Amino acid sequence: MLRATRLGVSAALLLLLVSVLSVSAEEKTVTYHGQLRLPPAYLRHPDSFETLNNIQPGSVLLYNGKHQFVVPTARDGSFSVYKLPYGTYILQAEYHYFMFPTVRVEVMYRDTGDGQKETFIRTSANDYPVQHLEGSGLDEESPAVIPLSGQHDYYIPRQQVDIWSLLKSPMVIMLLISASLMGVMKLFPEEEIRESQKMTREWQKKMMKGVSADKAGATKLQGITK
């Protein structure tokens, strides 16, 4: 009987310890609320109502050396991270082609002055100089606002054509010379062109006869010397 009583007391103490630990663990976590500042013109644009955009418009990564949280954002850029333990985190946000700065999130306690402590979240842009962002992040009415820093430009502008550099190209120079020569040739009468072509052919024939005669003479000299 005494042994059963001891076992019962031990079990009760164990359950009490587990409940205390669970309560303390719950007290050491908070819910962090944030808001990505999106251009109002984009939210009114028809592209923001597409089906793919409504599946998951964006995501937020919150991490440190011990924990990592990835949460989706709503269409308007709002998000919530539940059961976030106390500590310092790095936040990186993505939303379509928009860019946001890297953010430092510090979840801590602060003294209220009457011996009590309250939860305090400091959100700041992790750039130089460090800029504290608006919003407490503790409730949906006052979310931490992540500002917009820019957008990804996937359009590559076409390279402009420089006329002067184009004229310096050897191929273009050869084409211009050929075109100018053809134009000059058209200035002469056709009869003169035919006459010049005839004279050129006769000159080529004389040259060929002279070359063949020289070869024949060289062959005779070789036969005599032998």
Side-chain angles (χ1 to χ4, degrees):
M1 184 68 180
L2 182 60
R3 186 176 181 181
T5 304
R6 289 179 179 177
L7 289 175
V9 172
S10 300
L13 291 175
L14 183 61
L15 290 174
L16 180 61
L17 179 62
V18 170
S19 62
V20 170
L21 290 176
S22 62
V23 170
S24 62
E26 290 178 358
E27 291 177 351
K28 292 182 180 179
T29 61
V30 297
T31 300
Y32 179 67
H33 300 277
Q35 173 72 51
L36 303 182
R37 179 168 287 171
L38 302 174
Y42 173 78
L43 296 176
R44 294 192 300 267
H45 197 274
D47 291 346
S48 64
F49 295 94
E50 291 184 358
T51 305
L52 291 177
N53 294 347
N54 293 330
I55 293 175
Q56 183 175 337
S59 62
V60 172
L61 171 64
L62 198 67
Y63 65 94
N64 61 9
K66 296 181 179 180
H67 307 283
Q68 178 173 322
F69 300 87
V70 180
V71 295
T73 66
R75 178 181 169 273
D76 61 351
S78 60
F79 63 92
S80 298
V81 183
Y82 299 98
K83 295 184 179 181
L84 182 66
Y86 284 75
T88 303
Y89 299 86
I90 297 296
L91 185 147
Q92 293 177 338
E94 293 183 356
Y95 193 101
H96 297 302
Y97 49 80
F98 297 111
M99 299 170 58
F100 301 92
T102 302
V103 174
R104 180 186 179 94
V105 179
E106 298 175 89
V107 184
M108 64 187 86
Y109 289 111
R110 68 177 176 183
D111 295 329
T112 59
D114 54 356
Q116 301 293 328
K117 292 183 178 181
E118 65 178 3
T119 303
F120 174 69
I121 299 179
R122 178 185 294 141
T123 306
S124 55
N126 199 26
D127 297 328
Y128 181 81
V130 177
Q131 177 185 1
H132 297 296
L133 305 181
E134 59 179 291
S136 64
L138 291 172
D139 50 58
E140 295 181 355
E141 287 74 19
S142 180
V145 180
I146 313 299
L148 181 69
S149 61
Q151 64 182 39
H152 297 285
D153 191 5
Y154 297 105
Y155 169 72
I156 301 176
R158 185 172 57 184
Q159 187 177 4
Q160 296 182 356
V161 179
D162 188 5
I163 303 297
W164 182 247
S165 61
L166 185 63
L167 293 176
K168 291 181 180 179
S169 174
M171 295 296 295
V172 175
I173 293 174
M174 292 296 294
L175 288 173
L176 292 175
I177 293 174
S178 301
S180 60
L181 290 176
M182 291 177 63
V184 170
M185 291 294 292
K186 289 183 178 181
L187 295 177
F188 293 97
E190 293 184 1
E191 295 180 357
E192 293 184 3
I193 295 174
R194 291 175 183 174
E195 187 67 25
S196 63
Q197 291 176 352
K198 183 178 179 181
M199 293 175 63
T200 303
R201 285 194 295 269
E202 291 178 355
W203 178 76
Q204 289 176 351
K205 289 179 181 179
K206 290 180 180 180
M207 289 291 295
M208 292 298 295
K209 288 180 180 179
V211 171
S212 59
D214 292 339
K215 288 183 178 180
T219 305
K220 288 181 180 180
L221 288 174
Q222 289 178 359
I224 293 171
T225 54
K226 289 180 180 179

